[in-house]
């Protein structure tokens, strides 16, 4: 798909910054073992290792700007 002609042509081109802004505006906090990545389908967030549920409750979260 040519740049700037996505499903919603009036919206800004998807970018890392746009995803981070969206995560911040929705109150997201990120575990140290989570990363923002780019793929052929756009930008996403994924764990870089298996994260146990208890770790999510005990690890200090980071605001997404720190990713």
């Amino acid at each position: 798909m040519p740049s700037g002609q996505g499903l919603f042509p009036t919206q800004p081109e998807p970018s890392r910054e746009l995803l981070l802004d969206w995560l911040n505006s929705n109150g997201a906090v990120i575990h140290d073992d989570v990363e923002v990545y780019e793929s052929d389908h756009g930008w996403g967030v994924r764990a870089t290792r298996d994260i146990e549920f208890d770790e999510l409750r005990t690890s200090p979260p980071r605001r997404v700007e720190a990713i």
Side-chain angles (χ1 to χ4, degrees), residues 31-32 54-61:
H31 188 274
D32 284 337
D54 287 343
E55 288 181 81
L56 296 175
R57 293 187 299 162
T58 59
S59 297

Side-chain angles (χ1 to χ4, degrees), residues 1-23:
M1 187 175 305
S3 179
Q5 292 185 333
L7 293 175
F8 306 100
T10 59
Q11 293 187 355
E13 186 71 19
S15 67
R16 183 178 194 274
E17 291 73 28
L18 189 62
L19 175 58
L20 293 176
D21 287 346
W22 183 88
L23 290 167

Side-chain angles (χ1 to χ4, degrees), residues 32-46:
D32 284 337
D33 294 311
V34 169
E35 68 179 0
V36 173
Y37 72 100
E38 184 177 19
S39 74
D40 292 340
H41 305 288
W43 290 90
V45 180
R46 66 180 169 205

